[in-house]
Structures are given as C-alpha cells and as structure tokens.
Amino acid sequence: MDIQTVTEELNQMTEERDWDQFHSPENLAKSIVIEGAELLECFQWDSNYDLEQVKAELADVLSYCLMLCDKLNLDPAQIVHDKLQATLKKYPVEKAKGKNTKYTDL
C-alpha cells in the first residue's frame, strides 16, 4: 500500500463523518503533538514496551501527518526527500560520522 492510497482512505473516513470541519492545519498540528506524546508514553518507564501499542500510536502520528500534508497540498515523500537533502549537506559524512553533535558545532 502506498502513501497516496492511505491518504485517500483517511480523506474518505473524514468525509463520511464530516470531520474536516475540525481538521484545520492548527488542529492537525496539535493532534500530531498529542499523539506523539502518547507514543512517547509507551517508552516512559523502561525499555519494555508493547509493540502493538507502539504501532497504534505511531499510526495515529503518521495519520495526522498525512492529513496535514494533504490539507496543505504537500507531497509527504517530497518534503521528506527535500529535508534529507538539506540534512546531508549539513552533516557531511567526513564530519558527522559517529557523532551526535549539532551541525553548527561540527
């Protein structure tokens, strides 16, 4: 299954339930953060986590990200690719390999 198909399914679900009225870019961004916190909660106390719960929370985060991309007419694959290209320039292998230093401090 590809991103476009999943986005179409999310749009269909939203349309059938008349939820688009609640899906402003601001509300979708808030939902990403809220669901991200729920994902983080899966790892809160130790490294023992429930993979099914992690998958469910990660799916929520990704769903809201895809909905926000769609709302803003952004191609998720393209914006990730563009960011990757910028990151590759900021963190050249010869300076960054094996380090977690911010690019301004390399």
Side-chain angles (χ1 to χ4, degrees):
M1 183 166 296
D2 59 45
I3 290 174
Q4 183 61 36
T5 301
V6 172
T7 301
E8 289 169 4
E9 291 177 344
L10 287 165
N11 286 339
Q12 181 179 351
M13 178 194 69
T14 299
E15 184 179 318
E16 290 171 350
R17 288 157 181 79
D18 193 26
W19 286 349
D20 192 56
Q21 62 182 313
F22 309 117
H23 290 175
S24 66
E26 177 185 7
N27 286 345
L28 292 169
K30 289 175 188 177
S31 295
I32 292 166
V33 173
I34 292 164
E35 294 299 337
E38 291 179 12
L39 174 61
L40 184 57
E41 190 175 33
C42 294
F43 303 98
Q44 186 171 8
W45 301 115
D46 58 38
S47 60
N48 297 319
Y49 55 87
D50 178 343
L51 185 58
E52 291 305 310
Q53 187 64 35
V54 170
K55 285 170 38 179
E57 297 303 341
L58 189 54
D60 288 341
V61 171
L62 290 169
S63 294
Y64 282 120
C65 287
L66 290 174
M67 287 190 278
L68 182 56
C69 283
D70 189 62
K71 180 69 68 176
L72 299 175
N73 295 312
L74 299 171
D75 178 343
Q78 186 64 55
I79 65 173
V80 170
H81 173 77
D82 292 348
K83 180 64 176 184
L84 175 60
Q85 297 309 304
T87 301
L88 290 171
K89 288 178 184 171
K90 285 183 183 178
Y91 294 93
V93 172
E94 60 276 2
K95 290 184 178 181
K97 187 171 184 174
K99 299 177 183 174
N100 64 355
T101 310
K102 187 172 180 173
Y103 70 96
T104 54
D105 296 328
L106 288 174

